[in-house]
Amino acid sequence: MHVQEWLETVPAVSIYALVGLVIGLESLGIPLPGEIVLVSAALLSSQHGGINPVILGICATVGAVVGDSIGYAIGRKGGRPLLAWLGNKFPRHFGEGHIATAERSFEKWGMWAVFFGRFVALLRIFAGPLAGVLRMPYWKFLIANVLGGIIWAGGTTAVIYYVGVVAESWLKRFSYLGLVAAALIGLASMLVIKRKAKKVTAEREAAEREAAEPEAVPAAD
């Protein structure tokens, strides 16, 4: 069933909790389609009088901020062993190459990696736990987390809602295109990160092989 069609069968008051929960769990580190659910709910609110887009945006923002904060706490407590365990359980999402790419982003950009990570499908899963593992000061994490959550969740809700209102006559077609666009953006983000992850892994393996090779001993005269 189409995501939006399924949402239409859910009581209006439950949409807020559903969106907040899915986005919160995704931000915590569980691979879920938070962006697709948010886009679908925002489109639905533009044609469903019982769904307030402001409340929807607030619930999405709260879910994003709280989920990231819980992920940060888990990552800070679990440390590197947590990443190793996640890598074994979910190699496609928490593989060594993905972790290495995310770490490089954090080392280069610091708190901005948390902020901009909110707009990249796969990094939304990493941001909270990895910031905790890397012992980023919580105040820095919280600022980036709150700003990213407000702009991403609130901004997405507002844009999709108003476009849906203006284009009411072709809302159903837009709903389909909007979901396809969200899926394509997420897929493109994952492909870029996967490519970078493979490059980092290859470089690391090459460095390990080079380090493992015995040094040449100069011939005696």
Side-chain angles (χ1 to χ4, degrees), residues 12-81:
V13 69
S14 302
I15 297 295
Y16 307 131
L18 176 67
V19 170
L21 179 63
V22 172
I23 292 177
L25 291 176
E26 182 190 37
S27 301
L28 188 153
I30 300 175
L32 290 175
E35 188 171 49
I36 294 177
V37 171
L38 178 58
V39 168
S40 298
L43 285 169
L44 186 60
S45 71
S46 68
Q47 63 178 142
H48 195 302
I51 302 176
N52 188 316
V54 175
I55 298 177
L56 180 65
I58 291 174
C59 290
T61 301
V62 170
V65 173
V66 172
D68 250 7
S69 295
I70 295 175
Y72 174 91
I74 293 174
R76 193 173 181 89
K77 184 175 182 179
R80 293 284 176 178

Side-chain angles (χ1 to χ4, degrees), residues 96-150:
E96 183 178 346
H98 293 159
I99 295 294
T101 300
E103 285 184 337
R104 291 176 62 181
S105 298
F106 270 72
E107 291 172 358
K108 184 176 182 179
W109 301 106
M111 63 184 291
W112 292 110
V114 177
F115 176 83
F116 289 111
R118 174 60 60 186
F119 301 88
V120 181
L122 191 58
L123 287 182
R124 278 198 298 274
I125 302 172
F126 283 127
L130 189 57
V133 170
L134 297 178
R135 302 282 175 173
M136 177 182 290
Y138 183 69
W139 69 269
K140 288 186 176 182
F141 170 80
L142 183 61
I143 291 174
N145 181 22
V146 171
L147 291 177
I150 292 174

Side-chain angles (χ1 to χ4, degrees), residues 78-214:
R80 293 284 176 178
L82 173 64
L83 296 181
W85 181 81
L86 289 173
N88 291 330
K89 293 293 183 180
F90 308 101
R92 294 183 63 181
H93 296 281
F94 293 92
E96 183 178 346
H98 293 159
I99 295 294
T101 300
E103 285 184 337
R104 291 176 62 181
S105 298
F106 270 72
E107 291 172 358
K108 184 176 182 179
W109 301 106
M111 63 184 291
W112 292 110
V114 177
F115 176 83
F116 289 111
R118 174 60 60 186
F119 301 88
V120 181
L122 191 58
L123 287 182
R124 278 198 298 274
I125 302 172
F126 283 127
L130 189 57
V133 170
L134 297 178
R135 302 282 175 173
M136 177 182 290
Y138 183 69
W139 69 269
K140 288 186 176 182
F141 170 80
L142 183 61
I143 291 174
N145 181 22
V146 171
L147 291 177
I150 292 174
I151 295 176
W152 174 76
T156 299
T157 302
V159 170
I160 298 300
Y161 173 80
Y162 284 112
V163 170
V165 170
V166 172
E168 185 176 1
S169 61
W170 49 281
L171 179 62
K172 290 184 179 180
R173 182 159 58 98
F174 175 80
S175 172
Y176 173 76
L177 293 176
L179 290 175
V180 171
L184 290 177
I185 291 172
L187 179 61
S189 301
M190 292 181 66
L191 290 176
V192 170
I193 293 174
K194 186 175 181 180
R195 183 179 300 176
K196 291 183 178 180
K198 287 183 178 180
K199 182 178 179 181
V200 171
T201 302
E203 291 175 352
R204 179 174 296 181
E205 290 177 352
E208 290 177 352
R209 286 195 300 268
E210 184 177 349
E213 291 178 357

